[in-house]
Amino acid sequence: MNDSEISFSERVYTIVAQIPCGKVATYGDIAKRSGNVKAARAVGMCMNKNRDTYRVPCHRVVASTGELTGYAFGGVEAKRKKLLEEGIVFVGDRVDLKKSEWK
DNA sequence: AGATTGACCGTGT
DNA sequence: GACACGGCCAATC
């Protein structure tokens, strides 16, 4: 810290908070938007540490394949349910990034 | 300070 | 489409 006053995590949180309802973003995409194209893993770790579910809709973040990975508030099942309620298009157990990917 | 881990991704077979 | 391998990042032990 000190140059931009915000850490990588804060940057990620901000980006995730910008995801509109009914849309999802991939870790890789967030990583790109955060500045580091290859920081997808770090993004996931920040999500795991994140406690502000209402401030940061981390449930709208899925893998590049559209598959739901983890969720620190009830597991992928709760995550999938939330996405379904938000109108995310599902294809089996995966999200249809073709239609619901945030871009 | 060094090693390990984790909600990943891209590529090759 | 599924499985295996390697690479990269940041946080944690």
Side-chain angles (χ1 to χ4, degrees):
Chain A
M1 58 139 165
N2 70 16
D3 18 312
S4 297
E5 320 322 330
I6 59 174
S7 303
F8 175 81
S9 351
E10 286 293 324
R11 203 157 43 214
V12 171
Y13 293 140
T14 304
I15 296 169
V16 176
Q18 304 310 303
I19 304 175
C21 186
K23 294 282 180 179
V24 297
T26 65
Y27 298 96
D29 191 30
I30 295 169
K32 289 177 186 176
R33 289 175 185 264
S34 68
N36 294 316
V37 189
K38 314 166 205 120
R41 272 178 126 159
V43 173
M45 196 175 296
C46 289
M47 295 293 100
N48 189 358
K49 283 203 349 159
N50 171 39
R51 305 293 182 209
D52 309 291
T53 337
Y54 293 95
R55 194 175 91 180
V56 183
C58 41
H59 63 269
R60 291 184 193 154
V61 186
V62 300
S64 62
T65 57
E67 186 171 24
L68 276 59
T69 36
Y71 191 54
F73 289 89
V76 296
E77 47 183 286
K79 188 173 178 179
R80 177 175 50 184
K81 189 173 182 179
K82 270 179 172 282
L83 293 173
L84 283 169
E85 289 186 33
E86 295 205 355
I88 304 297
V89 183
F90 267 75
V91 181
D93 279 12
R94 297 184 189 174
V95 177
D96 189 343
L97 297 175
K98 268 303 228 294
K99 298 177 182 175
S100 301
E101 185 179 27
W102 177 45
K103 50 183 180 349

